[in-house]
Amino acid sequence: AKMRADGLGDAAVAAFKNSYEALCSGATGMIPEAELTPAASVPSLDAMADPGAVDPALLAKTVVLKLNGGLGTSMGLDYAKSLLLVKGKDTFLDLTAKQIMGMREKLKSQVKFVLMNSFATSEDTMAFFKAKYPALYADPNLEFVQNKVPKIARDTLAPALWPAKPSVEWCPPGHGDLYAALLGSGKLDALLAGGAKYMFVSNSDNLGATLDTKLLQYFASSKFPFMMECCERTANDKKGGHLAVRSADGQLILREAAQCPDDDEAAFQDINKHKYFNTNNLWIDLEALKATMDASGGLVPLPMIKNKKTVDPKDDASTPCFQLETAMGAAIECFKGAAAIVVPRTRFAPVKKCNDLLTLRSDAYATVDDVPVLAPGVAAAPTVDLDSKKYKLVQQLEANLLEGGCPSLKACAKLVVKGDVRLSSKNVFVGSVTVKNESGEP
């Protein structure tokens, strides 16, 4: 009733109801290790033969969708994270827009482009496209907006109330909302009516996730309903979700950290056992998606993820609540015949912290065809570990880069910065370097 009173539609309500009923049933959302076997024999993109030039008719059926709902609050932003400068004078959205326009020109095909914005990012994003990329802005199908869901009081399982600040009673439903938002906005039906069949989905902060025609041809020829791009896990990835096989029926599934019982944490983090993680680059057959949603009563029945929070995130004394989320990659378990493919690490380069942002802005990366790639002569990206108190927020990073200049990192293997340290374009770091200031003064 609360959702309907706020104007949310049937698809949003159905998806939330699926998660809420799981919560009320006592479901924990946990996936024990005993119910899984590791994913094995996952094919690799690098091992596949080049299929040759892509058929223009295939491109005409293809949609590129970027998830663009995040504000980047963990980095101190109160605007769309994708509007952050990442390389020279270009933002994430600049580079994405240039990639799309360049691809259309190169392949002589009007590949469709769509953004899933949130209520928090829609206005800024659309103003950006109107001012800088009017040709893309002119497309009436450029955006749709994701839903929101009520927070749930932990003691009563009723909607959490906070009259002092009603806006905090709502939360994003996670990127698993993609499917409900596509259906509820009418975008799914519109794309199908326009001849679209294949959708490539990725996060807007992952500039390595471009429309790869080799992957597109493989996905289309294999007739998979759903395909997840995976990378091999390293020690740095051990806390992130991994691909696995459900023992009961042999179905590929995704297990996130929040779905792992505490007793199974060691197995979850064993990168030699569970070798692959989800990049959040997904390929979806839109006809199969529509059929799956129709067969399930207008939703993709995604597993519920339960997060414990307080209703006002800035007030630890406010009502304890649950935030129910779903992950879009978890849909792999909802499609019989779903597949996964191992891709190079270059297709997974998200910016989650200022460490990532400094690395991307530095001379360790160059831009080729509007895609950031390792600069010539750079074998591997440097590991950057900036002081978490002095460099947590973008504003702090900007203030600590004198004259806005990035240090040279192209010959750097590892950079550790501890304490109040200023950096500039005059700094050249080579090998493994630690810069430490324990004086308490800048």
Side-chain angles (χ1 to χ4, degrees):
K2 179 169 182 164
M3 292 178 77
R4 293 199 183 282
D6 216 76
L8 290 153
D10 291 346
V13 171
F16 176 75
K17 186 179 178 184
N18 183 64
S19 292
Y20 181 69
E21 288 180 347
L23 175 72
C24 292
S25 73
T28 62
M30 294 295 171
I31 305 175
E33 185 70 20
E35 297 177 5
L36 304 177
T37 55
S41 303
V42 180
S44 169
L45 177 65
D46 282 346
M48 292 179 182
D50 187 343
V54 64
D55 183 350
L58 180 57
L59 290 169
K61 296 178 180 179
T62 303
V63 186
V64 175
L65 187 147
K66 283 285 186 181
L67 302 180
N68 191 53
L71 286 178
T73 49
S74 64
M75 295 173 69
L77 303 179
D78 58 1
Y79 54 87
K81 182 181 178 182
S82 55
L83 293 175
L84 186 61
L85 287 173
V86 287
K87 201 68 183 165
K89 295 183 179 180
D90 285 332
T91 65
F92 288 105
L93 284 183
D94 280 305
L95 291 173
T96 298
K98 290 177 180 180
Q99 287 173 9
I100 294 295
M101 294 189 299
M103 182 171 55
R104 287 177 174 178
E105 176 64 27
K106 179 181 177 181
L107 300 176
K108 306 299 180 191
S109 176
Q110 286 297 106
V111 174
K112 298 174 181 65
F113 175 54
V114 181
L115 292 160
M116 183 170 86
N117 290 325
S118 66
F119 290 102
T121 63
S122 176
E123 187 176 346
D124 285 350
T125 298
M126 297 306 281
F128 168 87
F129 275 94
K130 183 177 182 179
K132 295 193 74 173
Y133 301 98
L136 293 176
Y137 178 77
D139 183 350
N141 288 315
L142 177 59
E143 79 151 357
F144 64 102
V145 178
Q146 71 181 87
N147 298 301
K148 59 182 180 177
V149 295
K151 296 177 184 177
I152 308 298
R154 281 190 232 169
D155 56 351
T156 64
L157 300 187
L161 301 177
W162 202 244
K165 194 177 180 183
S167 63
V168 302
E169 297 174 4
W170 299 87
C171 61
H175 42 59
D177 182 56
L178 166 69
Y179 310 109
L182 270 173
L183 182 66
S185 66
K187 195 67 66 181
L188 178 57
D189 288 335
L191 287 168
L192 287 167
K197 179 171 172 61
Y198 307 107
M199 175 177 278
F200 171 57
V201 185
S202 62
N203 293 343
S204 62
D205 70 347
N206 183 8
L207 292 169
T210 58
L211 180 67
D212 184 296
T213 55
K214 186 176 174 182
L215 274 167
L216 170 61
Q217 287 167 285
Y218 172 70
F219 179 63
S221 64
S222 301
K223 295 183 166 52
F224 297 133
F226 183 101
M227 183 171 76
M228 174 187 291
E229 291 185 32
C230 298
C231 283
E232 294 183 358
R233 294 168 96 198
T234 68
N236 291 334
D237 309 309
K238 68 180 183 180
K239 294 184 179 180
H242 66 79
L243 188 67
V245 175
R246 190 165 53 208
S247 302
D249 58 1
Q251 177 71 33
L252 280 172
I253 69 166
L254 179 67
R255 180 169 66 164
E256 301 287 355
Q259 296 170 298
C260 178
D262 291 344
D263 291 348
D264 291 334
E265 185 177 343
F268 180 93
Q269 295 188 8
D270 185 345
I271 63 173
N272 295 311
K273 182 177 185 180
H274 294 297
K275 295 181 178 181
Y276 308 109
F277 73 87
N278 169 30
T279 62
N280 241 24
N281 301 345
L282 305 177
W283 296 81
I284 303 167
D285 182 317
L286 294 177
E287 293 173 2
L289 174 61
K290 176 71 170 170
T292 295
M293 297 188 81
D294 286 348
S296 301
L299 76 154
V300 177
L302 298 169
M304 174 266 293
I305 299 174
K306 178 175 69 176
N307 292 306
K308 292 182 178 180
K309 306 281 187 178
T310 54
V311 66
D312 184 345
K314 295 182 179 179
D315 183 355
D316 290 343
S318 63
T319 305
C321 69
F322 293 124
Q323 290 183 198
L324 303 186
E325 296 183 8
T326 55
M328 69 175 187
I332 195 168
E333 72 174 61
C334 303
F335 292 89
K336 190 172 180 59
I341 185 168
V342 180
V343 298
R345 194 76 183 213
T346 51
R347 291 189 59 77
F348 182 71
V351 173
K352 301 300 181 188
K353 297 181 179 180
C354 287
N355 299 336
D356 307 319
L357 185 59
L358 181 67
T359 307
L360 194 56
R361 285 183 177 179
S362 79
D363 59 0
Y365 279 86
T367 306
V368 177
D369 294 333
D370 302 305
V371 180
V373 296
L374 289 175
V378 178
T383 300
V384 174
D385 182 7
L386 302 174
D387 188 288
S388 60
K389 293 181 180 178
K390 300 297 181 182
Y391 280 90
K392 181 180 181 180
L393 308 179
V394 171
Q395 296 91 324
Q396 292 174 307
L397 175 66
E398 306 285 9
N400 286 326
L401 294 177
L402 300 181
E403 300 174 0
C406 275
S408 173
L409 298 178
K410 64 183 179 182
C412 182
K414 183 175 184 178
L415 172 64
V416 178
V417 175
K418 296 295 182 187
D420 202 350
V421 176
R422 304 288 187 270
L423 301 171
S424 84
S425 57
K426 295 178 181 178
N427 302 138
V428 178
F429 294 113
V430 179
S432 294
V433 182
T434 298
V435 183
K436 188 180 295 185
N437 176 12
E438 299 176 330
S439 70
E441 298 293 328

